Amino acid sequence: MTNIQEIVKILTDAGIEPNEANIEVKLLIEHFCGYGVKDIIMGKKLDYSKLEVVKEKAIRRAKTREPIQHIIGFADFMGEKFIVNPSVLIPRDETEILVRKAIEIINKNNFKTALDVGTGSGCIACMIAKYTDCQIIGLDISTDALNTALDNASRLNLFNKAIFRKSDVFSNVKPGEKFDVIVSNPPYIPKKEKAEIQKEVTFDPDLALYTDDTDGLEYYRKITTAAPNVLNSGGYLLFELGFKQADRVARIMKENHFSDIEIVKDLAQIDRVISGKLYI
């Protein structure tokens, strides 16, 4: 009879860190067996016949390195479950730093309108809508991503607070439309680095990951240079950053009328989020 330790070993033998393997098996058991912490506390017995399904999924994960979130169909982000699939970037812990900084700025300034460029699953837009009085529009060039974002907003009952629109950067922002905040986790990996990318990341859509330039700054430039046209004076622009990009992105922002530049580090002390205020 299959046991939990056996399933964990399938993952660790494939090179997945033991701590990560334990977390992933727990997620698989919760999803496919409907068995969670509450059941353990209540002393409820685990249906071991369902563990065979969990074992199958673990074997698939080990063989293909397909992310656990794709196997389950959901990713945890800021305490909510978001639908994910191959058309959207899997939300990552680092992106929470971006969202929390945006929420702080919005609530402090009592801002009412925001834009999320490259919304993907909609996780950034949805959590900003949930924790502020802002109405936020999520823009994306991918129809499949927009459908996923819409499903996520519906699950969180964010009708009329998180709205989604097909747009290549600001191409579909209406004439005269202005916002208090623009937030983005843009593609920032140059295509030349694609061969070195971790196997799990290759399951994310190329559109959300890679840039056509050599330094990964293509979308920071595109968004920042056009942002003053759609941002209110005194409004803020916030980005998630790629590794060692903070100084160059700060320079691009300063060249385009942004000041009060602030950089926030992640838990690994890497520059992860940048924000700036528009003065025109």
Side-chain angles (χ1 to χ4, degrees):
M1 188 189 285
T2 300
N3 62 44
I4 293 167
Q5 287 71 28
E6 214 179 295
I7 298 170
V8 171
K9 190 172 184 302
I10 290 167
L11 297 182
T12 54
D13 285 352
I16 293 163
E17 291 291 322
N19 190 42
E20 194 61 36
N22 277 298
I23 292 167
E24 291 189 1
V25 171
K26 178 176 168 283
L27 289 170
L28 289 170
I29 289 169
E30 281 177 4
H31 188 76
F32 293 104
C33 302
Y35 186 88
V37 176
K38 206 182 281 182
D39 298 307
I40 295 166
I41 294 164
M42 300 296 288
K44 186 180 165 190
K45 291 279 182 277
L46 177 58
D47 181 347
Y48 281 93
S49 64
K50 288 183 181 173
L51 267 189
E52 288 303 320
V53 177
V54 173
K55 184 179 177 180
E56 275 172 39
K57 304 297 180 189
I59 290 167
R60 172 174 149 192
R61 165 88 174 107
K63 276 185 181 170
T64 65
R65 297 310 282 255
E66 182 181 2
I68 199 78
Q69 294 89 344
H70 281 182
I71 292 169
I72 291 169
F74 290 95
D76 289 311
F77 186 73
M78 292 183 70
E80 298 290 352
K81 285 197 182 305
F82 281 84
I83 299 163
V84 291
N85 50 53
S87 67
V88 299
L89 199 66
I90 294 168
R92 289 172 172 82
D93 292 345
E94 292 84 359
T95 305
E96 289 195 17
I97 302 166
L98 174 67
V99 176
R100 291 186 194 284
K101 186 64 189 171
I103 289 167
E104 178 195 314
I105 287 168
I106 290 164
N107 288 338
K108 185 179 171 185
N109 293 280
N110 198 27
F111 286 148
K112 298 298 180 195
T113 56
L115 203 57
D116 174 23
V117 183
T119 197
S121 68
C123 65
I124 293 172
C126 286
M127 298 318 284
I128 288 173
K130 182 176 177 179
Y131 289 110
T132 72
D133 289 330
C134 248
Q135 184 184 67
I136 185 161
I137 298 174
L139 306 177
D140 209 290
I141 199 167
S142 162
T143 304
D144 290 338
L146 290 167
N147 288 334
T148 304
L150 198 55
D151 287 344
N152 281 319
S154 301
R155 282 167 55 83
L156 292 168
N157 293 316
L158 293 169
F159 301 102
N160 300 322
K161 278 206 79 187
I163 297 162
F164 300 97
R165 192 187 292 175
K166 187 161 186 170
S167 184
D168 183 4
V169 187
F170 302 123
S171 65
N172 206 12
V173 172
K174 293 165 188 169
E177 217 172 8
K178 292 266 189 175
F179 300 87
D180 297 316
V181 170
I182 296 170
V183 63
S184 183
N185 177 17
Y188 52 66
I189 304 168
K191 277 189 179 146
K192 63 178 181 181
E193 293 177 21
K194 192 172 179 178
E196 301 155 33
I197 289 296
Q198 188 186 353
K199 178 68 175 164
E200 280 83 351
V201 178
T202 64
F203 287 86
D204 281 326
D206 282 7
L207 263 179
L209 294 174
Y210 301 109
T211 64
D212 286 325
D213 60 356
T214 55
D215 57 10
L217 300 176
E218 177 187 354
Y219 286 94
Y220 296 112
R221 290 191 185 97
K222 275 185 185 175
I223 293 167
T224 307
T225 53
N229 301 322
V230 294
L231 196 60
N232 289 319
S233 183
Y236 283 79
L237 174 63
L238 298 96
F239 288 116
E240 183 170 325
L241 295 164
F243 188 57
K244 291 188 175 175
Q245 291 178 326
D247 290 345
R248 287 172 294 169
V249 175
R251 200 175 310 126
I252 294 165
M253 290 174 77
K254 285 170 186 169
E255 286 165 1
N256 288 279
H257 310 289
F258 289 91
S259 55
D260 298 358
I261 304 289
E262 188 182 343
I263 293 164
V264 185
K265 293 180 186 293
D266 63 16
L267 292 173
Q269 295 305 300
I270 292 165
D271 294 336
R272 186 56 65 187
V273 168
I274 191 166
S275 64
K277 188 175 184 179
L278 180 66
Y279 285 100
I280 291 186

